[in-house]
Amino acid sequence: MAMGRGTDRDAANGTRRAPGIEVKPVAGHIGAEITGVDLAGELDDTVVAAIRAALLRWKVVFFREQRLDHAGHVTFARRFGDPVVLRKRGSASPPDVPEIETTADRLELGGKFGMEHDEWLRRRRHTLLRGWHCDHGARVDPPAATILRAETVPPYGGDTTWSNLAAAYAGLSAPVRLFVDGLRAEHRLGVGYQPRHGDDAYVRHLLDHQVASLHPLVRVHPESGERILYVNGYYVEQIADLSRAESAAILEMLLAEATRPEYTVRFRWEPGSVAFWDNRATIHLAPSDNTHLDFPRTMHRVMLTGEVPVGVDGKPSEPIVGTEVGRW
Ligand SMILES: [Fe+2]
């Protein structure tokens, strides 16, 4: 378990003291800005513990005006777990630092799978809430956390939004909580994609690289013990044992609950900003309000390996295809 060194006491105490550090919540249910820490410097254990406690309590923490380079980003990440090393990364990623994945929007806008970006988005956008996801959620062991660092950001547009899935679960009525507690759902890469006529390179890609798992619909957080409404708009295909019609209606309702504005926080990036989120207890919405603007946006990401989710009944998730514990 990558991030298993925290304790329940930490989770309850999101403002655990460390010298110089301040944790300032920025919304009612999620998000805190942490000041007084230089992430590129030597961090002592009390600082690391304070950041971890704030992360567990507030689900996403923000740092501004940081001076991390690629190596410093990885060094910081290692204080909290094991960085994921992807076998394949985007072409903008630094070849000599395998833990870093870089997205540079302008480089990737055109030509993906033989499509212009607009068509690519249109064919994938099967519902209004499709963009809400956790990172690599179709894996049997999705990352525990993601640490995202901004290098170049547009002057406006391009914000990221997160939602707190523990708050979403707690906000459900008692009968609905009881109902969802016992369910499981299939999470799959490429859900709802509308193929092109004839040959479609993305369909071929999906068939050759299928990734799907059966996850509990409510997972128990391995560190805080909280129940998490484990849904997202991107990967969840079908609630097991329900008809497709029942599943679609219930998923729509649950996802609407999971993304209620009161459970969310929105972050305005600046160069040097860092967002560190618990990928087990949140979903996030990648921005789409900058795709029509001609501004570059370059972001660097390190993910920490995560555990296999466990349901309320104590049963772990199961792989369906293309995913193995610890194999990236
Ligand atoms: Fe993401």
Side-chain angles (χ1 to χ4, degrees), residues 109-164:
L109 275 177
K112 201 161 191 176
F113 300 107
M115 279 174 262
E116 288 303 314
H117 194 64
D118 280 352
E119 181 181 350
W120 164 246
L121 287 180
R122 187 161 38 79
R123 291 189 178 281
R124 294 200 307 165
R125 194 161 287 160
H126 61 290
T127 67
L128 285 174
L129 298 179
R130 176 211 162 271
W132 285 94
H133 68 284
C134 60
D135 289 334
H136 292 269
R139 288 184 57 86
V140 70
D141 58 349
T146 298
I147 304 167
L148 187 64
R149 171 180 128 238
E151 180 182 313
T152 309
V153 299
Y156 52 90
D159 299 358
T160 304
T161 306
W162 290 261
S163 188
N164 179 344

Side-chain angles (χ1 to χ4, degrees), residues 35-52:
T35 57
V37 57
D38 172 11
L39 303 184
E42 193 83 23
L43 298 183
D44 81 40
D45 291 347
T46 60
V47 170
V48 171
I51 294 171
R52 180 189 297 279

Side-chain angles (χ1 to χ4, degrees), residues 18-297:
I21 262 204
E22 207 182 334
V23 176
K24 291 183 272 191
V26 294
H29 284 289
I30 178 171
E33 184 160 338
I34 300 184
T35 57
V37 57
D38 172 11
L39 303 184
E42 193 83 23
L43 298 183
D44 81 40
D45 291 347
T46 60
V47 170
V48 171
I51 294 171
R52 180 189 297 279
L55 178 67
L56 285 175
R57 170 68 181 85
W58 293 104
K59 317 303 187 206
V60 53
V61 292
F62 307 116
F63 305 86
R64 292 203 179 271
E65 295 177 352
Q66 296 296 321
R67 52 186 181 101
L68 287 174
D69 57 12
H70 293 332
H73 191 163
V74 175
T75 301
F76 173 68
R78 282 192 195 286
R79 298 301 305 271
F80 297 89
D82 299 320
V84 166
V85 176
L86 295 170
R87 260 176 300 169
K88 276 180 81 176
R89 295 177 293 159
S91 57
S93 305
D96 51 332
V97 189
E99 297 91 346
I100 301 258
E101 190 183 26
T102 299
T103 53
D105 280 350
R106 268 171 127 182
L107 294 176
E108 288 164 356
L109 275 177
K112 201 161 191 176
F113 300 107
M115 279 174 262
E116 288 303 314
H117 194 64
D118 280 352
E119 181 181 350
W120 164 246
L121 287 180
R122 187 161 38 79
R123 291 189 178 281
R124 294 200 307 165
R125 194 161 287 160
H126 61 290
T127 67
L128 285 174
L129 298 179
R130 176 211 162 271
W132 285 94
H133 68 284
C134 60
D135 289 334
H136 292 269
R139 288 184 57 86
V140 70
D141 58 349
T146 298
I147 304 167
L148 187 64
R149 171 180 128 238
E151 180 182 313
T152 309
V153 299
Y156 52 90
D159 299 358
T160 304
T161 306
W162 290 261
S163 188
N164 179 344
L165 298 180
Y169 176 83
L172 296 173
S173 65
V176 171
R177 287 201 303 266
L178 201 61
F179 173 63
V180 295
D181 274 351
L183 294 173
R184 306 176 94 68
E186 182 178 323
H187 296 231
R188 178 177 289 275
L189 184 64
V191 168
Y193 176 72
Q194 181 192 53
R196 298 179 117 188
H197 290 298
D199 188 45
D200 184 321
Y202 188 56
V203 170
R204 270 190 280 121
H205 172 83
L206 284 177
L207 290 172
D208 290 346
H209 301 90
Q210 291 189 61
V211 185
S213 300
L214 194 66
H215 287 309
L217 200 54
V218 178
R219 79 180 279 193
V220 178
H221 194 284
E223 290 184 73
S224 70
E226 289 173 299
R227 293 187 184 187
I228 308 294
L229 181 61
Y230 202 53
V231 295
N232 63 73
Y234 191 81
Y235 293 111
V236 185
E237 168 106 306
Q238 162 80 33
I239 301 177
D241 302 329
L242 269 55
S243 72
R244 291 193 74 184
E246 290 168 339
S247 170
I250 290 165
L251 281 173
E252 187 183 345
M253 183 271 284
L254 294 177
L255 197 56
E257 288 287 337
T259 57
R260 280 164 69 142
E262 58 264 46
Y263 303 141
T264 68
V265 64
R266 178 170 177 151
F267 186 60
R268 173 93 205 108
W269 296 95
E270 294 165 345
S273 297
V274 173
F276 184 174
W277 66 89
D278 186 337
N279 195 51
R280 305 164 294 190
T282 58
I283 46 179
H284 56 282
L285 181 65
S288 55
D289 67 341
N290 60 320
T291 50
H292 65 297
L293 304 173
D294 196 25
F295 299 120
R297 184 175 186 270

